[in-house]
Amino acid sequence: MKVEIYSDIACPWCYVGKRRFERALAAFPSAEDVRVTYRPYQLDPSTPAEPSPLRERLAEKFGAANLDGMNARLAEVGTAEGIGFDFTRALSVNTLTAHRVLWLALTEFGAAAQAALKDRLLAAYFAEGENVADHARLTEFAVEAGLNRDRVVAFLASDEGTDEVRREIAEAQEMGVTAVPTFVFEGKWAVQGAQEASTFLQVLEQVREQIREPSGGSAATAPAADDDACADGSCAV
């Protein structure tokens, strides 16, 4: 079974969704047959390459009055998933370069290395106040995930992977992806948002049955996200 997860490093619900999906996969009897890959998406491609406090940028976008409630809700959900969100330290920065390194991880080092790097980048962004666009820090994160240091240094010194990542983002938009995380199963069925692990497990079981006895139909219906918001479950463009 092929599962493609469209997400952005700057999306807190993508972090929650990753943890919940991994818990579902751990409970799925046919987990060894599931191939998971992470696909790029940028909620805001216009985000500057120079970092700034995430809290300030979110206040501009959603309004300061709404921000504390949103962050408190995420902190509560994160704690339940073993995630220590720290929005006072988090830095807003363009994620294109980080997506390029994730592309490199998958292309040359495999899905396991990509998943490890994805987790490392999400933790760096949301829990550690790291600049995930900084080449030196990206190199360290990549090495921690199992990538070769010399290869990563050379890669970041070039434009390699830029066109490929932008093409994948454009393809996601053409598919109708407007909020992340979006989980696409077998290229046919989409589930949007950081669903509960039990829901992901149910979807995995449904897709498995569809593969065994293909008869059309949908494995799941993607819930709608609020426009221009990080509501419960997903972040919309």
Side-chain angles (χ1 to χ4, degrees):
M1 183 192 307
K2 180 174 69 173
V3 182
E4 295 170 286
I5 304 175
Y6 292 83
S7 64
D8 193 3
I9 298 148
C11 168
W13 287 108
C14 292
Y15 201 177
V16 174
K18 184 178 188 294
R19 287 291 175 88
R20 289 177 173 176
F21 183 77
E22 287 171 344
R23 282 202 288 120
L25 193 58
F28 184 53
S30 302
E32 69 277 2
D33 298 324
V34 180
R35 304 182 307 280
V36 179
T37 56
Y38 289 88
R39 300 300 184 191
Y41 202 86
Q42 283 195 286
L43 290 168
D44 186 0
S46 69
T47 302
E50 291 298 318
S52 62
L54 177 63
R55 185 177 178 84
E56 293 180 7
R57 188 165 180 84
L58 292 178
E60 292 175 1
K61 187 173 184 179
F62 302 120
N66 300 320
L67 196 56
D68 288 340
M70 287 171 50
N71 289 348
R73 170 61 179 153
L74 277 163
E76 178 184 354
V77 172
T79 298
E81 300 298 335
I83 298 170
F85 285 115
D86 188 345
F87 295 101
T88 63
R89 297 176 62 194
L91 296 175
S92 171
V93 72
N94 196 288
T95 58
L96 181 63
T97 304
H99 281 301
R100 286 177 53 221
V101 182
L102 285 165
W103 174 86
L104 172 68
L106 177 64
T107 303
E108 297 188 14
F109 298 91
Q114 188 197 41
L117 179 58
K118 182 76 171 185
D119 204 68
R120 186 68 191 89
L121 289 171
L122 287 165
Y125 188 101
F126 284 110
E128 300 168 10
E130 293 276 9
N131 176 5
V132 298
D134 179 79
H135 287 197
R137 299 305 297 145
L138 274 173
T139 299
E140 295 306 319
F141 302 147
V143 170
E144 289 178 29
L147 279 65
N148 176 271
R149 180 182 297 275
D150 290 342
R151 178 66 180 109
V152 175
V153 170
F155 178 85
L156 287 171
S158 72
D159 292 327
E160 190 177 352
T162 302
D163 291 342
E164 288 83 355
V165 167
R166 285 179 171 155
R167 181 167 59 248
E168 287 190 19
I169 293 173
E171 289 171 354
Q173 293 168 337
E174 290 171 5
M175 286 170 50
V177 175
T178 58
V180 288
T182 293
F183 300 74
V184 179
F185 298 79
E186 285 293 297
K188 298 179 181 180
W189 301 288
V191 175
Q192 181 179 293
Q195 304 296 323
E196 295 291 340
S198 58
T199 301
F200 282 130
L201 180 58
Q202 182 181 11
V203 173
L204 287 165
E205 292 168 346
Q206 289 177 334
V207 173
R208 179 179 59 186
E209 294 307 310
Q210 290 285 338
I211 294 172
R212 288 175 175 173
E213 299 179 15
S215 58
S218 174
T221 301
D226 293 342
D227 290 340
D228 194 31
C230 277
D232 270 12
S234 64
C235 293
V237 175

